[in-house]
Amino acid sequence: MNAPGKFLDAGAEAPAPAMAAPLPHESARAHVAGSATYIDDIPEIKGTLHAAPILSTVAHGRLRGVDTRAAEAMPGVRGVLLARDLPADPLLATFAHDEPIFALDTVEHIGQVVGLVLADTTMQARRAARAVKLDIEELAPILTAREAVAAQSFVLPTVTVRRGEPERALAAAQHTLSGELEVGGQEHFYLEGQVAYAMPLEQNQLRVHSSTQHPAEAQHWIAHALGWPSSSVVVECRRMGGGFGGKETQSGHMAVWASLAAVKFGRAVKLHLDRDDDFLVTGKRHPFSYDYTVGFDDSGLVTGLKLTMAANCGFSADLSGPVCDRAVFHADNAYFLSDVEIVSHRCKTNVQSQTAFRGFGGPQGMIVTEAILSDIARHLGLDPLDVRKRNLYGTTQRNVTHYRMRVEDNILHPLIAQLEASSDYRARRGEIARWNAKSPVIKRGLALTPVKFGISFTATFFNQAGALVHVYTDGSVQVNHGGTEMGQGLNTKVAQIVADELGVPFSRVRVTAADTGKVPNASATAASSGTDLNGRAAQFAARRVRERLAQFVADKQGCRPEQVVFANGHARAPDAHMAWEQLVDDAFKSRIQLWSDGFYKTPKIHYDKATLTGRPFFYFAYGAACTEVAIDTLTGESRVLKVDILHDVGRSINPAIDLGQIEGGFVQGMGWLTTEQLVWTGKGALATHAPSTYKIPTAGDVPEHFRIALWPEANPEDNVGGSKAVGEPPFMLAISVWEALRDAAASARGGAVRMDAPATAESVLKSLA
Ligand code: MTE
Ligand code: HPA
Ligand code: MOS
């Protein structure tokens, strides 16, 4: 196995080529020194007003009146902004066009924004926002997906994907099992909360600093809300302090609200949500409810499956369509389902509008199938790993997904075998059984689960990107691309790619803030495809500059352009050799264009939206994790003891960053399935809206034994540098934690285990009842 290399010191000169080197994040030093600029660090323009949202206190009701008199009389308050002040469409320009900018005549969840208070300071605005009185006639709320299905309350129509004859397969099956499962949502808990800073410019233009994964969408929403052309609005994002999907669309609300206020008051306006308000206002991972019946034979082979997944989407569609589609696309995880029906309900409820979160429905699709496979194993008295292996996609047959895509790149057979050996799975299985037999209170559990995650945006048109590469006359290089930096290291990887394309040292390349005025119409940085898309676009842009320089050298030297090689800060022709800086200066003086654009679109992908069939993904990223846990059967408390991971990032562009993504993704997934619990009261109030009650993993929760290795093969598809996307897939490796907890519970009680997620102490105890 390939252990990720030693990290390079942030001060060290990078090796050449830069790709494949474990370089530190381009902002690593600035992050820890506190000199990296986040939006709240931008010096404020004189006269800046601060905004705070007025929130609905009722989950569902008719909004009869808003009394702002007391709030407007409070110190520092400069005014309010309500639905009546909206200059154009009162609805946001979302895909479904179903979400008001400010609540109109109804409120649909506790925390829905009714308007803003503007004041000289943030605290003045926040205090005054609480003094606004809302007159609301309460209506009955719908809070859970199951209630919504009963009431036929949906944000989007139900989607069904079918193959074969599941009813007949179930009727003919040697065994069947039926069950239900509840899996909770997840708050993003980005360290930098949602924030936007809108600055009016001359002649009805705006510059908006937004902490967003999707500057182009924010621009589009702002322009639509103002009734302006997009060309009058520039949205910029240097970096986010984390996004995790929570700033794919949700950040757009802040940007729109701040922009509307900036235009109404003719002042710069900053809107930074208080953490509790961030919990109450913005969407989270979708909670899912499942019902299933599975048929299987004596060997554990699944012969038929009927699965209903009901997603709690909250009050509007937001990204629920593509999230639920991805859940459908990942309900197979790594397994061939011959006769299957998957029904996906997109439920409308009176809670926050749930949104993208790392994995984007993939985790919710996979977890139920993993649960079903280990249920089958326990039912038959087999090892869950053997049942998993029995059902894996084949390489030459049994290799077409339920959505009719051929799985051509499956490496899970050797990958699982390798992890099974390196983690000593079989021996530990026996050891744990012996240990459990002697331990009445503490029980240990083990699970090895795979991941197969489809890479590409499911909406095909999103799979495009642009970039600009500027070479200045001193030889330094500036790159701009449509992607955004949220800590994942996108800008570092793009700089590595461009450095190698031009044959210059990594330190010569600087990547600048995402800016809608530079690369327009960019897709969200999401679906893990930031490097695949923007890295390739930047590579193409750099290539065009290099090709012009090669032609310039060839013309002077009387050779062919292909004979000119760029490496180590030099260009070499058969009979000449010159420093990059000299060449660039000469070329400039000969009027050679030293900058270029680049554009990339992902090849091969297509699918039919109506039937969800085709090839939605360019390739799959694979991995597997083996996790050992212990539970206390008296209290339900648990600990993750050991984790071994073997993960496929293709040929790594940066093993240090990829390792960080695998660790971070895994631990975030562990949080989702163990401690992070969203509790809504019977009235629809989110009770866990602060770190005091909502528990994300801490450094102390990271297992002491946490070994990660990278699969050594390159991506067989022609992806940038032979790499594979890494941002989301490792998140789902954490399903092994939850499966290990269920394994431990099975040792304690025998028989079937129902353990709803998150597996808090309460949920573990319940599973033992
Ligand atoms: N890593 C950090 N540090 N911070 C983040 O917000 N977001 C994740 C992942 N890794 C995130 C992260 C999510 S949800 C996605 S889709 C990808 O990064 C997006 O970036 P990429 O496409 O460049 O990998
Ligand atoms: N993943 C992440 N974000 C998205 C997607 C997707 O597949 N589609 C639209 N936004
Ligand atoms: Mo990630 S959920 O695709 O932003």
Side-chain angles (χ1 to χ4, degrees), residues 305-389:
L305 175 66
K306 287 192 80 161
L307 170 64
T308 301
M309 306 195 276
N312 185 336
C313 300
F315 80 103
S316 72
D318 184 79
L319 292 168
S320 296
V323 165
C324 292
D325 289 354
R326 193 173 270 275
V328 170
F329 289 139
H330 286 81
D332 59 340
N333 189 11
Y335 312 108
F336 178 72
L337 303 171
S338 58
D339 294 78
V340 57
E341 180 184 89
I342 300 170
V343 178
S344 163
H345 295 305
R346 292 103 202 261
C347 302
K348 177 172 162 111
T349 60
N350 295 108
V351 299
Q352 293 78 4
S353 185
Q354 313 308 13
T355 194
F357 196 141
R358 209 169 193 167
F360 203 79
Q364 293 99 316
M366 288 178 192
I367 192 171
V368 64
T369 300
E370 291 300 336
I372 289 171
L373 291 182
S374 63
D375 285 350
I376 291 173
R378 280 187 279 276
H379 185 82
L380 296 172
L382 300 172
D383 188 305
L385 179 57
D386 292 324
V387 173
R388 293 195 160 96
K389 285 179 165 178

Side-chain angles (χ1 to χ4, degrees), residues 242-245 358 486-488 490 525-531 661 727-728:
F244 306 111
R358 209 169 193 167
M486 59 195 97
Q488 86 279 36
L490 172 60
T525 306
S528 303
S529 54
T531 304
Q661 286 293 299
E728 295 167 288

Side-chain angles (χ1 to χ4, degrees), residues 502-768:
L502 297 176
V504 301
F506 176 73
S507 57
R508 288 306 250 162
V509 183
R510 178 162 294 282
V511 182
T512 57
D515 185 324
T516 58
K518 288 195 171 174
V519 172
N521 312 326
S523 296
T525 306
S528 303
S529 54
T531 304
D532 292 13
L533 298 174
N534 300 287
R536 251 292 152 79
Q539 186 177 48
F540 288 170
R543 188 166 296 170
R544 286 167 74 164
V545 174
R546 194 194 68 201
E547 282 168 358
R548 285 192 206 118
L549 289 170
Q551 187 64 54
F552 172 66
V553 173
D555 289 347
K556 283 218 314 205
Q557 299 293 325
C559 64
R560 281 176 290 114
E562 310 82 69
Q563 292 176 294
V564 186
V565 176
F566 295 79
N568 296 312
H570 286 84
R572 249 171 258 274
D575 303 313
H577 175 230
M578 69 223 79
W580 165 258
E581 287 74 13
Q582 187 60 52
L583 168 60
V584 162
D585 193 55
D586 287 354
F588 174 70
K589 287 177 179 148
S590 300
R591 299 188 292 176
I592 303 297
Q593 187 184 340
L594 289 178
W595 58 275
S596 179
D597 62 313
F599 180 78
Y600 174 70
K601 55 180 182 211
T602 312
K604 294 189 177 179
I605 49 177
H606 60 87
Y607 90 99
D608 176 351
K609 265 172 100 168
T611 57
L612 292 197
T613 56
R615 177 177 180 158
F617 307 119
F618 186 30
Y619 62 88
F620 293 100
Y622 297 93
C626 178
T627 297
E628 182 175 338
V629 301
I631 61 171
D632 181 328
T633 56
L634 295 180
T635 65
E637 289 165 295
S638 65
R639 262 202 93 72
V640 178
L641 302 175
K642 283 188 181 181
V643 176
D644 291 272
I645 288 172
L646 180 52
H647 192 76
D648 162 34
V649 297
R651 189 183 296 130
S652 177
I653 291 175
N654 186 322
I657 282 173
D658 287 349
L659 181 67
Q661 286 293 299
I662 297 167
E663 288 176 343
F666 183 89
V667 172
Q668 194 168 42
M670 201 173 102
W672 170 50
L673 292 173
T674 57
T675 56
E676 296 183 39
Q677 190 177 26
L678 295 164
V679 178
W680 283 274
T681 67
K683 289 241 172 211
L686 180 63
T688 51
H689 54 76
S692 52
T693 46
Y694 186 81
K695 295 296 181 189
I696 61 171
T698 65
D701 296 307
V702 175
E704 247 175 71
H705 173 115
F706 195 17
R707 297 199 184 143
I708 298 170
L710 304 180
W711 183 252
E713 289 177 304
N715 189 340
E717 291 295 347
D718 178 20
N719 199 48
V720 64
S723 70
K724 285 193 180 182
V726 67
E728 295 167 288
F731 182 95
M732 287 147 278
L733 295 173
I735 293 173
S736 64
V737 173
W738 182 71
E739 277 293 299
L741 291 167
R742 295 176 78 233
D743 184 60
S747 307
R749 71 190 295 277
V753 177
R754 159 114 188 234
M755 188 187 286
D756 290 335
T760 57
E762 211 177 327
S763 167
V764 170
L765 263 191
K766 257 193 185 162
S767 78
L768 299 172

